[in-house]
Amino acid sequence: MELKCFARPPKFRNRLIMMLLGVLVQGFGLSVLIRLNLGTDPCTSLTQGVINHIPISFGTAQLLCQLVLFLFVIRFDLGMIGFGTVGNMVFMGYIADFFGWIWTCLLPPGFFESRFVRLGLLVPALIVFIFGAAAYMAAGLGTSPYDAVPFIIARRIKEPRERSVRFRRTAVFFSRHGSRLSFRGVRMIWDVCIMAAGALLGGDVGAVTVAAAFFLGPVITWVGKKMERFIR
């Protein structure tokens, strides 16, 4: 019994460390992607659109956007909330701001305006961002409100019990045509909608944003499954 009791804290500790490192790495990669000006993930593009109209920092704007979605998660699925939810929601935007400040202090003016630098750093920054996102998700301590919403929508479409007749008919239709609206489909629709909202608000929407809307979710999920070996 004593061995089992002492075996549990390290496992949680490892998950917590992995989540914190994942958020830190993701924020680091995001700070570079923002400055490359080639497009970011849909959530970031929406946040950039918000700060175009409201004079607040990127980290604060992202926190406010996530808080709005957090209310939706609280209402429909408390099980999605954990330490990872708070870590990503509260800290990632400010981590990106912090590293952005470091780039401003250390690098010469116009460093990220060079085409060679922008194209040369794009793939490494994307890899860092993806691994950071996959690490915090693989830790299994909750997801950010932005990532939780498509999970909740997909699950409720497949579970139409105790809903209105109209909702049940719609849910049954989609459940019979699961290939048309699986979780991956819900995630893509969600990302495209957020990307469109970011574009309307003047956020940084480019080729990277379009690619992220269709492929980022599945890629992060695939990498996260591979990283779960380190947890187990």
Side-chain angles (χ1 to χ4, degrees), residues 205-228:
V205 176
V208 174
T209 316
V210 176
F214 289 98
F215 303 111
L216 187 60
V219 170
I220 290 176
T221 301
W222 181 80
V223 175
K225 290 180 179 179
K226 299 296 182 182
M227 297 182 70
E228 285 179 358

Side-chain angles (χ1 to χ4, degrees), residues 63-133:
L63 175 59
L64 293 177
C65 292
Q66 293 276 23
L67 281 174
V68 173
L69 298 176
F70 187 62
L71 297 176
F72 179 88
V73 177
I74 291 176
R75 169 62 178 83
F76 292 103
D77 194 345
L78 286 172
M80 301 291 294
I81 299 173
F83 288 98
T85 308
V86 178
N88 186 284
M89 177 176 67
V90 176
F91 297 113
M92 195 184 73
Y94 291 113
I95 291 172
D97 282 343
F98 171 73
F99 280 110
W101 173 74
I102 289 181
W103 307 144
T104 302
C105 295
L106 298 182
L107 299 178
F111 176 80
F112 289 104
E113 296 178 4
S114 168
R115 178 173 297 182
F116 176 79
V117 171
R118 294 169 69 194
L119 296 179
L121 291 179
L122 177 59
V123 173
L126 280 172
I127 292 175
V128 170
F129 180 83
I130 289 172
F131 268 89

